[in-house]
Amino acid sequence: MKTHTLETPGADLVHDVRGPLPTADGRPPLLMIGQPMDAGGFAALAARFPDRTVVTYDPRGLGRSTRKDGRTDHTPETQADDVHAVIGALGAGPVELFASSGGAVTALAVVAKYPADVTVLVAHEPPLITLTPDGRAAVRARAAVLEAYGKRGWGAGMAAFVAMTSWEGEFTEEYFARPEADPAAFGMPTEDDGSRDDPLLSDRSWAISGYRPDADAIAAAPTRVVIAVGEESTNVQTGRTSVATAELLGQRVTVFPSHHGGFLDGEFGYPGKPDEFGRRLREVLDGAS
C-alpha cells in the first residue's frame, strides 16, 4: 500500500492505493469512500479484493486529510469535488466506486456532477432522511440527537443516535415520548468530555443527510448505479432511506449481507460479515443483480 497526499486549494487529501496503477488487468481501480468514516474503516473490505487495485481516502477534515478552507461543515457538493480530484490524480481513468453511508450520498453527487468519473457505483445505505415518507419526523429525530449531544456530551449524543438508528418503522409520537437514551445502557461514557464537534452527532453533516440527489442527472449519466441495503437494515432508518433513494432513481434496492456496517470486521465493536459482503460486492460490480 502506498499513501499519497493530494494538495487542493481547500484541503490536503490523503489517499491510499493498494495495488498497481495502471491496474494489472486493465480494469478500473476500485475506490471505496465513506463519511464520516475515513479510509481506516475499509481495511477489512479492501483485504477481500487482493486481485484488484483498491483506493481509499479520508474526506476533508476527517482522519489524515486537513482542511484549508476555514469551514467545519461537510457537504456532498464539496466532497464530490474532492473525490473528482482524487480520481483525476490517480491517472487511471474512471473508477468503480463502492460508497457507504454519507459516502454514498457523496457518490451520488459525484455521478450527477462528474458522470465520466465512475463506471459503476454501489451506494450502500445512503442516509437521505428527507426522502422517506416520515421525512419531517426524521429531521425532528435528528435534531433530538443534536440536543442530547449539546446538553450532555458525546456519550449522551451517541446513545441518542443509536436509539434513533435502531428504531424500527416510521418515527411516531411513541418514539418521541420515550425517555432520553441512557449512555450507560449502551456501554458509553456518562461524563461530558466537553467536545461538540463530532461530525456524526453535531449539525456539521446535516447537509449530507438532508441532500436530495439530482435524479435526472444521475439517470443521464453513463454510470450503472446500484442502491444497496443490508438484509438486517430492512425496517430501520438507513434501510428505509435506501429504499426511498432507489425509488427516487426508479429502481429497487439490491440486498447485501448484514447491517449498515456489514463490511466491517470486529475492530469497531459491531462486526458485520466482511467475507459474505465482499463476495456480494464482487458479484454486483461484475453485473449481478
Side-chain angles (χ1 to χ4, degrees):
M1 185 177 76
K2 295 182 179 179
T3 298
H4 306 268
T5 300
L6 173 63
E7 296 184 6
T8 73
D12 293 339
L13 304 172
V14 177
H15 54 287
D16 303 313
V17 180
R18 297 170 172 85
L21 286 175
T23 61
D25 58 1
R27 187 167 180 173
L30 174 55
L31 175 61
M32 300 178 178
I33 66 173
Q35 158 63 35
M37 188 176 69
D38 60 27
F42 292 106
L45 185 57
R48 269 68 184 180
F49 289 84
D51 56 321
R52 298 287 306 273
T53 294
V54 177
V55 181
T56 55
Y57 102 118
D58 293 351
R60 68 169 58 196
L62 300 172
R64 301 159 295 172
S65 292
T66 55
R67 301 188 77 145
K68 300 182 289 189
D69 59 358
R71 300 177 67 94
T72 59
D73 59 332
H74 302 281
T75 68
E77 297 84 358
T78 298
Q79 293 199 16
D81 292 342
D82 289 346
V83 172
H84 172 68
V86 170
I87 292 172
L90 297 176
V95 301
E96 295 181 6
L97 180 55
F98 172 74
S100 186
S101 194
V105 178
T106 294
L108 292 169
V110 171
V111 172
K113 190 172 183 180
Y114 303 106
D117 278 2
V118 184
T119 60
V120 55
L121 163 63
V122 179
H124 180 249
E125 300 202 5
L128 297 170
I129 65 173
T130 64
L131 299 186
T132 59
D134 62 329
R136 290 190 177 183
V139 169
R140 179 182 170 192
R142 181 184 67 179
V145 172
L146 175 64
E147 182 180 8
Y149 180 50
K151 288 194 305 184
R152 296 189 289 137
W154 185 87
M158 185 57 73
F161 179 80
V162 171
M164 178 184 72
T165 55
S166 60
W167 176 261
E168 295 193 353
E170 296 190 353
F171 292 105
T172 62
E173 288 305 318
E174 179 186 357
Y175 172 82
F176 294 107
R178 300 190 310 170
E180 289 187 347
D182 178 10
F186 295 97
M188 297 171 185
T190 57
E191 67 277 4
D192 187 346
D193 66 357
S195 67
R196 295 295 184 273
D197 58 356
D198 188 284
L200 188 65
L201 305 178
S202 68
D203 58 358
R204 296 184 176 191
S205 298
W206 279 13
I208 291 173
S209 55
Y211 181 70
R212 186 177 183 87
D214 187 335
D216 290 338
I218 293 171
T223 310
R224 177 167 63 92
V225 176
V226 177
I227 305 300
V229 65
E231 61 187 357
E232 298 175 28
S233 300
T234 304
N235 206 32
V236 297
Q237 186 179 48
T238 55
R240 296 189 302 111
T241 60
S242 300
V243 171
T245 304
E247 290 176 347
L248 177 69
L249 301 181
Q251 58 176 266
R252 302 183 67 172
V253 290
T254 296
V255 179
F256 269 62
S258 199
H259 48 68
H260 190 65
F263 50 90
L264 301 173
D265 56 22
E267 80 271 36
F268 295 101
Y270 187 31
K273 299 177 180 178
D275 288 335
E276 294 93 329
F277 196 101
R279 286 195 293 269
R280 182 63 170 142
L281 178 57
R282 188 180 292 272
E283 293 171 352
V284 173
L285 291 172
D286 288 344
S289 60

